[in-house]
Amino acid sequence: MDHLEAAGHVCILKNALDFESPSEISNFIKAESLEAAMALHLYRGGRLLPGHGIPFGIIFGGTDLNEDVKQGEKNKVMGKVLEEARFAVAFTESMKETAQRQWPHAKDKIYVQSQGIATVPNTTFNWNTFLQRSEINQSADNLHVFLLICGLRQVKDPLYLVDAFSEWHQEEPSVYMVIVGPEVDPVFTREVKAKVKRTPGVRLIGEMAREDLHAVVKNCFAVVNSSVSEGMSAAILEAMDLEVPVLARNIPGNAAVVKHEVTGLLFSDPQEFVLLAKRLGGDPALEKQIVANGREYVRMYHSWQVERNTYGHLVRMLEGSSED
């Protein structure tokens, strides 16, 4: 959105869940005199856009290509969306290949553009106040806070590490896990809250402003990702940019950006996570190497300026087609 507004476009950001029917979208397009649209997630956002007479593009999310694609009806809907879309953006070559295999008719309109990363930590953020709010013992010797950033929904699997982490916390009271993110799925959120409430060493914090969240990342010991499925985790890339180590579940989306023992650490189960986290805590040389490599990787492959240029070009394609 920043990129488009910088190019002089007026943007309106809407959640796909705000619309219950195609007629609501149609009314919205007319009321706002919209000339083009972009949807993030081929199924959730994309299915709303065909048939309204405005050109649109798609950005693949992750669950659309990793999960929804396995469901026949959703797969069919997504194929039809791609027929009408002017372009589709995949974060990685492997996501592009998956999409091309599923919908060969769309192969010439799929572009690869990794997420561009720019971090802006709040310089006035008070870490000690955050620890107090999280009920974390600030006086613990050698305090290590592991941060799991995700919306509370099942595909992010925020409870995957909770039991193993809590056992470790009871051995070493200076380690804590803090889960931060919005309440996306209300039913699942209740389950997460109930579990965390009765689990020593694990805390749950609601959604935070981006600048404050980046400040928390900068102060924590490591950022954790335990998702079942990912397109490309912005939280992982932002941690790398902020020179914070990353421990990520070994799934294709994470393995595309985290090279084990080079730009981060990959784990396959909760026990391996604990072993790797302990190793990281006791090996400053490994931590230093991972942090330096991660920062360099983001600078090389996740340039915010390159992303801006790409979306500028793609939106010009929409401008051109809206005049047809």
Side-chain angles (χ1 to χ4, degrees):
M1 191 162 163
D2 288 346
H3 299 326
L4 304 184
E5 288 178 339
H9 301 288
V10 177
C11 298
I12 301 173
L13 186 64
K14 295 293 279 185
N15 189 326
L17 299 174
D18 293 343
F19 301 100
E20 291 181 7
S21 68
S23 64
E24 284 187 21
I25 283 274
S26 184
N27 294 339
F28 176 68
I29 289 169
K30 288 186 188 115
E32 299 291 345
S33 303
L34 299 183
E35 297 173 272
M38 285 178 68
L40 175 58
H41 200 282
L42 180 56
Y43 183 74
R44 279 203 301 270
R47 70 196 165 100
L48 300 169
L49 294 178
H52 296 297
I54 62 167
F56 65 87
I58 296 293
I59 303 167
F60 294 114
T63 51
D64 42 10
L65 290 179
N66 298 332
E67 306 297 326
D68 294 339
V69 81
K70 299 168 191 166
Q71 298 179 40
E73 190 52 40
K74 285 185 177 180
N75 189 313
K76 208 159 98 183
V77 167
M78 293 190 289
K80 284 196 162 51
V81 173
L82 282 175
E83 281 175 22
E84 200 171 315
R86 296 294 197 266
F87 62 80
V89 179
F91 293 140
T92 64
E93 285 291 344
S94 104
M95 287 174 79
K96 178 183 178 180
E97 286 161 14
T98 299
Q100 286 176 331
R101 273 197 309 276
Q102 288 295 329
W103 305 289
H105 64 272
K107 69 181 193 315
D108 294 332
K109 58 172 78 170
I110 302 173
Y111 297 78
V112 175
Q113 173 57 56
S114 59
Q115 288 190 71
I117 295 299
T119 52
V120 282
N122 178 356
T123 52
T124 62
F125 186 82
N126 191 312
W127 175 241
N128 287 331
T129 303
F130 174 80
L131 293 176
Q132 276 177 338
R133 185 176 143 220
S134 308
E135 298 180 356
I136 288 173
N137 177 9
Q138 299 164 63
S139 60
D141 288 339
N142 205 19
L143 179 65
H144 285 71
V145 175
F146 291 79
L147 196 66
L148 176 58
I149 303 164
C150 68
L152 299 185
R153 53 194 180 110
Q154 288 184 325
V155 74
K156 298 299 181 183
D157 210 1
L159 298 178
Y160 182 63
L161 301 171
V162 161
D163 288 333
F165 196 96
S166 186
E167 279 180 35
W168 180 28
H169 169 79
Q170 287 169 82
E171 292 166 22
E172 293 184 41
S174 60
V175 298
Y176 288 86
M177 174 180 281
V178 179
I179 303 168
V180 180
E183 300 178 3
V184 180
D185 176 338
V187 176
F188 185 61
T189 294
R190 286 199 292 275
E191 184 186 328
V192 172
K193 284 181 173 176
K195 177 72 173 174
V196 168
K197 201 171 179 180
R198 59 177 190 268
T199 308
V202 180
R203 303 287 187 266
L204 180 63
I205 300 285
E207 190 171 11
M208 299 180 73
R210 185 164 175 256
E211 292 82 357
D212 290 349
L213 182 59
H214 288 168
V216 171
V217 170
K218 198 150 183 59
N219 280 283
C220 77
F221 176 67
V223 164
V224 179
N225 180 296
S226 59
S227 297
V228 174
S229 169
E230 280 287 357
M232 179 174 283
S233 166
I236 286 177
L237 297 170
E238 288 168 352
M240 289 178 178
D241 192 53
L242 290 164
E243 302 183 340
V244 172
V246 169
L247 292 108
R249 191 168 178 173
N250 194 356
I251 56 170
N254 288 343
V257 294
V258 178
K259 190 170 179 191
H260 186 58
E261 297 181 343
V262 179
T263 55
L265 297 172
L266 293 169
F267 59 86
S268 297
D269 56 52
Q271 292 68 37
E272 188 178 16
F273 163 79
V274 172
L275 287 173
L276 289 170
K278 286 179 177 177
R279 182 180 159 203
L280 187 64
D283 190 343
L286 176 65
E287 182 190 352
K288 191 177 173 186
Q289 173 193 314
I290 281 173
V291 160
N293 291 339
R295 177 83 168 109
E296 186 57 27
Y297 168 76
V298 169
R299 280 184 176 156
M300 291 269 299
Y301 299 106
H302 295 276
S303 160
W304 188 79
Q305 189 59 53
V306 170
E307 183 187 55
R308 171 163 288 193
N309 296 343
T310 298
Y311 282 102
H313 165 71
L314 293 173
V315 168
R316 282 193 291 278
M317 288 168 57
L318 294 181
E319 287 176 316
S321 57
S322 63
E323 291 159 10
D324 292 346

